[in-house]
Amino acid sequence: IFCRSVWHYPLRLDNKLYIEVVFNQIAPDYLEGLLLVMPSEQIDQDVVYQVAKVAALLHKAADMDHVPTLKETKFLLPKPALSARDIKPPQWVNMVQGSWAEVQDMSASQAKAQVLQILSQWQLFGSSFFAVRRDSDPIEGSEHILALNKHGVHFLDLITHETILHYPF
């Protein structure tokens, strides 16, 4: 299995095979919600629109030619977005369907490249994620996510993915 493990150099979107490999590496982390930072357990408005567009692009990347339905939309959004208190499922569906017009004429490969282009601007893009726990302090809140990326080592809040502690390289 091929994967990109060093993210120091910029993303290249000029090769279909490269796009396919990197997309298949990034999409599961995105859908799991690992790339999504939610300060105060809310999604910033700019990110909301990006998430809706990425959902429409993911639908197109799967070679779909119809507007995403309610049932399909829930599989196109990062898990934490579905539980966000400020945006209800029907609102997500409306936003994703609203983004469909922009992406419906793209090829699946173009949609994958566009997903990578959008997500590459997010601070946790290109990270490798690990679940960690402080055994020396077994209180609640001692579980975190460790993110390694070109900016260094980040200890993230388990829910919001905000950086708690950062060690730059």
Side-chain angles (χ1 to χ4, degrees):
I1 296 178
F2 294 104
C3 73
R4 181 175 175 170
S5 59
V6 178
W7 294 87
H8 183 71
Y9 299 101
L11 194 61
R12 292 183 46 211
L13 300 175
D14 58 352
N15 181 296
K16 280 187 173 186
L17 179 59
Y18 178 83
I19 290 167
E20 189 71 28
V21 168
V22 174
F23 175 83
N24 287 321
Q25 182 178 347
I26 294 297
D29 285 345
Y30 171 75
L31 291 170
E32 190 62 35
L34 292 169
L35 302 178
L36 186 61
V37 178
M38 297 175 46
S40 304
E41 296 186 44
Q42 294 187 343
I43 305 172
D44 290 338
Q45 195 59 45
D46 291 342
V47 175
V48 167
Y49 294 121
Q50 291 176 348
V51 167
K53 183 168 184 179
V54 168
L57 287 163
L58 289 174
H59 192 65
K60 187 62 183 180
D63 249 347
M64 299 295 183
D65 289 326
H66 62 278
V67 176
T69 64
L70 173 63
K71 282 186 176 184
E72 291 169 326
T73 298
K74 69 179 181 181
F75 297 109
L76 301 169
L77 297 168
K79 286 181 182 177
L82 294 169
S83 59
R85 295 182 301 243
D86 47 340
I87 305 171
K88 303 297 179 220
Q91 292 172 293
W92 278 119
V93 172
N94 288 338
M95 287 186 286
V96 172
Q97 289 177 344
S99 295
W100 180 250
E102 294 178 56
V103 305
Q104 66 183 351
D105 294 328
M106 290 183 179
S107 69
S109 184
Q110 289 171 323
K112 290 174 183 179
Q114 186 71 40
V115 167
L116 294 174
Q117 181 63 40
I118 292 168
L119 296 181
S120 69
Q121 305 305 311
W122 291 18
Q123 70 183 44
L124 294 176
F125 179 83
S127 296
S128 293
F129 297 97
F130 305 91
V132 294
R133 184 179 60 201
R134 267 188 304 194
D135 283 337
S136 63
D137 188 12
I139 61 169
E140 187 178 331
S142 63
E143 293 184 8
H144 301 287
I145 298 171
L146 175 85
L148 296 172
N149 62 30
K150 67 181 179 180
H151 303 293
V153 179
H154 304 261
F155 289 91
L156 308 176
D157 180 85
L158 199 57
I159 306 297
T160 67
H161 302 156
E162 293 176 283
T163 299
I164 297 168
L165 189 60
H166 174 235
Y167 295 103
F169 290 133

